[in-house]
């Protein structure tokens, strides 16, 4: 990906976005993975400050007023938002940013960064998606109770794929990871992302 570019990864909850994105970011020091704020409760195994910044609804609303967020949305009864300033810092350092966010927030971010690349991750089937949610949320009553709502939201979001640039089917995890890397690498080869390099070659 070109320095300072933005890549947005969306897709239904439980499809494996987090798993794919984490694997890619761990391999690359030139990519910054944004940590969102949320008002939902942490899931088992999630790490505050790493998985999310967990804040109250009151704090979230205050941050909206302060223009703290690059984008924010309400998703199945909770607020989620991307803090703006870490993204600006990453860009200043010449890093590319990955945002793992739902569709409404993705379009807000695209309006702010029109060159952002939009990637949609889909499951091999909706049956498999439900299975992954049930496996991930087993033992978490609140999360299990929200699965139907998450599935309904997944169907709504599915209709928005046509406005995305790329689709990744997360069936075989390794292939899905490779496909995201391919998209990132293709971005770094776009002519519009290589203007300096093109001039440098001519002048040497
Ligand atoms: P998301 O970030 O999209 O909500 P997660 O990354 O938390 O999804 O993944 C949801 C669940 O699905 C996790 O238990 C994860 O281990 C599992 N998972 C991810 N990718 C695959 C895959 N290709 N095949 C089977 N299970 C997967
Ligand atoms: P979860 O509760 O499963 O972690 O996330 C629910 C949904 O919110 C997922 O689709 C996830 O990508 C999305 N999400 C996470 N962080 C943000 C954010 O900062 N902004 C927006 N708009 N969506 C987010």
């Amino acid at each position: 990906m070109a320095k300072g570019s933005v890549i947005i990864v969306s897709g239904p909850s439980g499809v494996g976005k987090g798993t794919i994105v984490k694997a890619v970011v761990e391999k690359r020091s030139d990519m910054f993975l944004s940590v969102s704020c949320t008002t939902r409760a942490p899931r088992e195994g999630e790490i505050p400050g790493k998985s999310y910044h967990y804040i109250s609804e009151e704090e979230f609303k205050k941050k909206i007023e302060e223009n703290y967020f690059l984008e924010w949305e309400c998703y199945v009864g909770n607020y989620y938002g991307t803090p703006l300033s870490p993204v600006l810092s990453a860009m200043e350092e010449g890093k590319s940013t990955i945002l793992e966010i739902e569709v409404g927030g993705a379009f807000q971010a695209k309006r702010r960064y029109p060159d952002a690349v939009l990637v949609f991750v889909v499951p091999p089937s909706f049956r498999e998606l439900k299975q992954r949610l049930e496996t991930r949320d087993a033992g978490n009553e609140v999360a299990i109770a929200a699965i139907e709502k998450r599935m309904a939201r997944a169907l709504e979001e599915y209709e928005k794929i046509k406005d995305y640039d790329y689709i990744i089917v997360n069936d075989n995890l390794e292939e899905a990871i490779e496909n995201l890397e391919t998209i990132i690498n293709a971005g770094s080869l776009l002519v519009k992302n290589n203007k300096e390099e093109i001039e440098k070659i001519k002048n040497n």
Side-chain angles (χ1 to χ4, degrees):
M1 207 69 189
K3 281 181 178 172
S5 48
V6 176
I7 178 150
I8 301 171
V9 179
S10 302
S13 177
V15 74
K17 303 178 296 293
T19 310
I20 297 168
V21 161
K22 199 165 148 261
V24 170
V25 169
E26 272 171 5
K27 289 193 210 167
R28 306 180 63 125
S29 57
D30 60 339
M31 305 225 67
F32 165 69
L33 175 58
S34 163
V35 178
S36 298
C37 292
T38 184
T39 59
R40 88 150 159 74
R43 281 190 202 115
E44 208 180 299
E46 287 186 340
I47 305 163
K50 211 163 173 210
S51 314
Y52 281 106
H53 301 292
Y54 301 94
I55 62 176
S56 67
E57 195 168 315
E58 195 186 346
E59 282 174 278
F60 199 102
K61 286 182 173 162
K62 192 161 164 267
K63 286 185 186 299
I64 294 174
E65 294 301 315
E66 293 165 354
N67 290 321
Y68 179 80
F69 295 117
L70 188 162
E71 60 71 40
W72 64 271
E73 264 295 336
C74 196
Y75 177 97
V76 187
N78 284 298
Y79 290 91
Y80 295 80
T82 304
L84 174 61
S85 94
V87 175
L88 296 178
S89 303
M91 284 178 167
E92 266 172 38
E93 287 170 30
K95 289 190 175 180
S96 295
T97 296
I98 298 198
L99 307 180
E100 189 219 308
I101 59 178
E102 54 70 59
V103 167
F107 295 146
Q108 290 176 44
K110 177 79 178 172
R111 279 196 289 279
R112 192 186 272 258
Y113 299 112
D115 283 341
V117 174
L118 292 174
V119 182
F120 201 100
V121 183
V122 296
S125 68
F126 270 65
R127 209 177 317 114
E128 167 71 14
L129 177 65
K130 196 165 181 205
Q131 188 79 58
R132 284 186 197 169
L133 281 171
E134 284 168 355
T135 306
R136 184 186 66 185
D137 296 339
N140 179 341
E141 272 177 38
V142 179
I144 289 286
I147 284 183
E148 289 307 325
K149 284 189 184 154
R150 284 178 181 254
M151 289 299 295
R153 179 81 175 223
L155 268 175
E156 276 171 39
E157 292 200 335
Y158 202 74
E159 298 306 313
K160 303 286 186 333
I161 294 183
K162 58 183 185 323
D163 297 319
Y164 276 68
D165 299 306
Y166 295 98
I167 179 173
I168 294 177
V169 181
N170 183 21
D171 190 357
N172 177 299
L173 181 60
E174 287 313 312
E175 264 177 39
I177 293 166
E178 262 177 42
N179 284 338
L180 182 58
E181 288 179 307
T182 301
I183 292 166
I184 291 168
N185 291 335
S188 72
L189 301 176
L190 287 169
V191 168
K192 70 175 178 187
N193 290 337
N194 283 282
K195 295 210 169 109
E196 265 179 42
E197 187 64 18
I198 291 165
E199 279 309 298
K200 210 168 91 188
I201 291 168
K202 188 175 69 183
N203 296 324
N204 277 296

